[in-house]
Amino acid sequence: DAGVIQSPRHEVTEMGQEVTLRCKPISGHNSLFWYRQTMMRGLELLIYFNNNVPIDDSGMPEDRFSAKMPNASFSTLKIQPSEPRDSAVYFCASSFSGNTIYFGEGSWLTVV
Amino acid sequence: GQQLNQSPQSMFIQEGEDVSMNCTSSSIFNTWLWYKQDPGEGPVLLIALYKAGELTSNGRLTAQFGITRKDSFLNISASIPSDVGIYFCAGPEGGAGSYQLTFGKGTKLSVIP
């Protein structure tokens, strides 16, 4: 079975540019999560959706960050404008109404 | 939010040795999860614990849910090089059935062949 699929795997961009990260959750899962991982702060939950509806976005750091889930099989996390401190690994994860969350392989973002 | 404290932060061990790591919380958790993250990959669920005192094994891995519900430990027996990675404990922030997981900072394991 296909797991959570993220793209791009790696992105290097210049400060000020828009970054869009994409995620396809596991088919049949109804919850989707965006996490950010850094050395300093570890894994932080940015936002999660249940049945395509954003439930809690309190982890989204600033207005520069936005996330959408237009349908059950696709979500995006957008950073505009990007800053060097946004450099991190961004994970998308999904689950079916429970605690077992399956992670994608991550999108490694570097903002220079 | 709730915080999970993992120790040790990192460890270097010889291949074949047993490993023990733990996770503590200032508040009660009703579920404990242990994840492993291989270098360059996303975390993968190893073991889930749902009941205080529960002891669960998955191959060479054994995890226990502490009686106080404020701690959990993970043991790895007879370590091998592919055990290298970061081990995270996690629990649902809003209680059992919550969709929001809180993660510890991880224990980074290095295995010397």
Side-chain angles (χ1 to χ4, degrees):
Chain A
D1 287 340
V4 176
I5 299 172
Q6 292 187 244
S7 66
R9 282 298 314 269
H10 299 272
E11 174 144 353
V12 180
T13 189
E14 287 187 344
M15 184 172 72
Q17 296 297 307
E18 178 179 291
V19 172
T20 300
L21 308 178
R22 298 173 179 81
C23 175
K24 178 177 164 53
I26 293 173
S27 177
H29 281 188
N30 60 354
S31 296
L32 183 140
F33 308 81
W34 283 100
Y35 282 87
R36 178 171 66 177
Q37 186 178 36
T38 60
M39 289 288 292
M40 291 296 294
R41 300 172 69 92
L43 272 164
E44 303 174 278
L45 178 65
L46 301 177
I47 185 171
Y48 84 91
F49 295 84
N50 193 39
N51 295 321
N52 312 339
V53 176
I55 303 299
D56 186 348
D57 65 355
S58 59
M60 296 284 262
E62 326 176 2
D63 291 345
R64 298 184 297 106
F65 285 68
S66 62
K68 293 182 181 177
M69 191 165 186
N71 57 61
S73 59
F74 184 65
S75 177
T76 58
L77 177 68
K78 190 173 290 189
I79 309 172
Q80 166 62 23
S82 58
E83 296 181 3
R85 62 193 166 120
D86 301 330
S87 298
V89 186
Y90 291 83
F91 287 103
C92 177
S94 71
S95 74
F96 179 69
S97 297
N99 294 333
T100 304
I101 292 178
Y102 296 87
F103 285 79
E105 293 184 321
S107 291
W108 300 68
L109 174 66
T110 302
V111 182
V112 298
Chain B
Q2 295 163 324
Q3 285 191 326
L4 295 177
N5 300 305
Q6 285 191 247
S7 65
Q9 280 189 309
S10 62
M11 47 196 318
F12 289 81
I13 60 163
Q14 206 72 38
E15 181 177 358
E17 288 183 353
D18 296 344
V19 174
S20 185
M21 60 188 80
N22 74 337
C23 188
T24 59
S25 169
S26 57
S27 51
I28 288 173
F29 277 79
N30 292 313
T31 300
W32 285 93
L33 307 170
W34 284 94
Y35 282 81
K36 182 194 176 198
Q37 184 176 21
D38 287 329
E41 304 290 333
V44 173
L45 182 65
L46 297 174
I47 290 179
L49 302 160
Y50 299 107
K51 202 163 108 175
E54 181 180 351
L55 186 72
T56 298
S57 292
N58 178 6
R60 293 177 296 104
L61 275 59
T62 301
Q64 184 157 28
F65 191 145
I67 293 289
T68 64
R69 293 196 277 161
K70 291 184 177 182
D71 62 347
S72 176
F73 71 75
L74 176 70
N75 286 344
I76 304 172
S77 62
S79 58
I80 59 178
S82 61
D83 291 332
V84 163
I86 304 176
Y87 292 79
F88 293 98
C89 61
E93 185 157 330
S98 167
Y99 298 153
Q100 292 179 257
L101 284 185
T102 297
F103 282 83
K105 291 279 176 67
T107 292
K108 186 175 180 181
L109 177 64
S110 301
V111 178
I112 304 165

